[in-house]
mmCIF file of all heavy atoms in Angstrom:
data_model
loop_
_atom_site.group_PDB
_atom_site.id
_atom_site.type_symbol
_atom_site.label_atom_id
_atom_site.label_comp_id
_atom_site.label_asym_id
_atom_site.label_seq_id
_atom_site.Cartn_x
_atom_site.Cartn_y
_atom_site.Cartn_z
ATOM 1 N N PHE L 248 135.992 320.994 167.468
ATOM 2 C CA PHE L 248 137.272 320.337 167.179
ATOM 3 C C PHE L 248 137.713 320.676 165.752
ATOM 4 O O PHE L 248 138.879 321.042 165.466
ATOM 5 C CB PHE L 248 137.155 318.822 167.351
ATOM 6 C CG PHE L 248 138.377 318.131 166.899
ATOM 7 C CD1 PHE L 248 139.561 318.262 167.638
ATOM 8 C CD2 PHE L 248 138.409 317.425 165.735
ATOM 9 C CE1 PHE L 248 140.702 317.607 167.147
ATOM 10 C CE2 PHE L 248 139.539 316.759 165.277
ATOM 11 C CZ PHE L 248 140.723 316.892 166.036
ATOM 12 N N VAL L 249 136.819 320.595 164.731
ATOM 13 C CA VAL L 249 137.274 320.825 163.396
ATOM 14 C C VAL L 249 137.683 322.256 163.163
ATOM 15 O O VAL L 249 138.518 322.600 162.402
ATOM 16 C CB VAL L 249 136.264 320.334 162.310
ATOM 17 C CG1 VAL L 249 136.258 318.790 162.305
ATOM 18 C CG2 VAL L 249 134.894 320.857 162.440
ATOM 19 N N LEU L 250 137.087 323.213 163.908
ATOM 20 C CA LEU L 250 137.487 324.655 163.803
ATOM 21 C C LEU L 250 138.857 324.750 164.403
ATOM 22 O O LEU L 250 139.739 325.463 163.759
ATOM 23 C CB LEU L 250 136.411 325.511 164.564
ATOM 24 C CG LEU L 250 136.760 326.963 164.577
ATOM 25 C CD1 LEU L 250 137.102 327.580 163.252
ATOM 26 C CD2 LEU L 250 135.631 327.778 165.200
ATOM 27 N N GLU L 251 139.178 324.092 165.506
ATOM 28 C CA GLU L 251 140.529 324.112 166.052
ATOM 29 C C GLU L 251 141.514 323.482 165.026
ATOM 30 O O GLU L 251 142.613 324.021 164.848
ATOM 31 C CB GLU L 251 140.569 323.426 167.396
ATOM 32 C CG GLU L 251 139.852 324.150 168.556
ATOM 33 C CD GLU L 251 140.252 325.659 168.594
ATOM 34 O OE1 GLU L 251 141.473 325.929 168.590
ATOM 35 O OE2 GLU L 251 139.333 326.482 168.681
ATOM 36 N N ALA L 252 141.100 322.423 164.418
ATOM 37 C CA ALA L 252 142.001 321.766 163.455
ATOM 38 C C ALA L 252 142.255 322.681 162.292
ATOM 39 O O ALA L 252 143.371 322.799 161.801
ATOM 40 C CB ALA L 252 141.267 320.471 162.953
ATOM 41 N N LEU L 253 141.207 323.378 161.835
ATOM 42 C CA LEU L 253 141.378 324.339 160.748
ATOM 43 C C LEU L 253 142.438 325.420 161.178
ATOM 44 O O LEU L 253 143.335 325.782 160.436
ATOM 45 C CB LEU L 253 140.054 324.990 160.413
ATOM 46 C CG LEU L 253 140.168 326.220 159.489
ATOM 47 C CD1 LEU L 253 140.793 325.842 158.110
ATOM 48 C CD2 LEU L 253 138.793 326.835 159.243
ATOM 49 N N LYS L 254 142.269 325.951 162.402
ATOM 50 C CA LYS L 254 143.228 326.978 162.830
ATOM 51 C C LYS L 254 144.582 326.484 162.796
ATOM 52 O O LYS L 254 145.622 327.177 162.431
ATOM 53 C CB LYS L 254 142.811 327.434 164.238
ATOM 54 C CG LYS L 254 141.513 328.273 164.277
ATOM 55 C CD LYS L 254 141.337 328.719 165.729
ATOM 56 C CE LYS L 254 139.992 329.469 165.917
ATOM 57 N NZ LYS L 254 139.732 329.679 167.388
ATOM 58 N N LYS L 255 144.776 325.269 163.281
ATOM 59 C CA LYS L 255 146.121 324.644 163.287
ATOM 60 C C LYS L 255 146.648 324.509 161.851
ATOM 61 O O LYS L 255 147.876 324.832 161.639
ATOM 62 C CB LYS L 255 146.064 323.326 163.992
ATOM 63 C CG LYS L 255 147.406 322.743 164.371
ATOM 64 C CD LYS L 255 147.233 321.605 165.319
ATOM 65 C CE LYS L 255 147.641 321.908 166.693
ATOM 66 N NZ LYS L 255 147.644 320.698 167.637
ATOM 67 N N LEU L 256 145.843 324.034 160.975
ATOM 68 C CA LEU L 256 146.289 323.920 159.576
ATOM 69 C C LEU L 256 146.715 325.271 159.051
ATOM 70 O O LEU L 256 147.759 325.395 158.332
ATOM 71 C CB LEU L 256 145.165 323.303 158.748
ATOM 72 C CG LEU L 256 145.461 323.218 157.253
ATOM 73 C CD1 LEU L 256 146.599 322.229 156.957
ATOM 74 C CD2 LEU L 256 144.251 322.724 156.450
ATOM 75 N N ILE L 257 145.956 326.306 159.320
ATOM 76 C CA ILE L 257 146.245 327.618 158.810
ATOM 77 C C ILE L 257 147.600 328.163 159.451
ATOM 78 O O ILE L 257 148.362 328.736 158.684
ATOM 79 C CB ILE L 257 145.100 328.616 159.149
ATOM 80 C CG1 ILE L 257 143.840 328.263 158.363
ATOM 81 C CG2 ILE L 257 145.486 330.043 158.881
ATOM 82 C CD1 ILE L 257 142.665 329.135 158.684
ATOM 83 N N GLU L 258 147.819 327.809 160.642
ATOM 84 C CA GLU L 258 149.085 328.207 161.245
ATOM 85 C C GLU L 258 150.231 327.580 160.502
ATOM 86 O O GLU L 258 151.268 328.187 160.188
ATOM 87 C CB GLU L 258 149.189 327.792 162.723
ATOM 88 C CG GLU L 258 148.420 328.776 163.580
ATOM 89 C CD GLU L 258 148.223 328.139 164.984
ATOM 90 O OE1 GLU L 258 149.056 327.284 165.402
ATOM 91 O OE2 GLU L 258 147.262 328.555 165.668
ATOM 92 N N VAL L 259 150.094 326.296 160.160
ATOM 93 C CA VAL L 259 151.122 325.575 159.428
ATOM 94 C C VAL L 259 151.346 326.238 158.030
ATOM 95 O O VAL L 259 152.469 326.348 157.580
ATOM 96 C CB VAL L 259 150.770 324.104 159.293
ATOM 97 C CG1 VAL L 259 151.726 323.339 158.336
ATOM 98 C CG2 VAL L 259 150.721 323.387 160.637
#
Side-chain angles (χ1 to χ4, degrees):
Chain L
F248 174 72
V249 290
L250 177 50
E251 290 310 312
L253 168 61
K254 289 184 186 169
K255 195 168 251 188
L256 177 64
I257 293 174
E258 280 166 27
V259 172

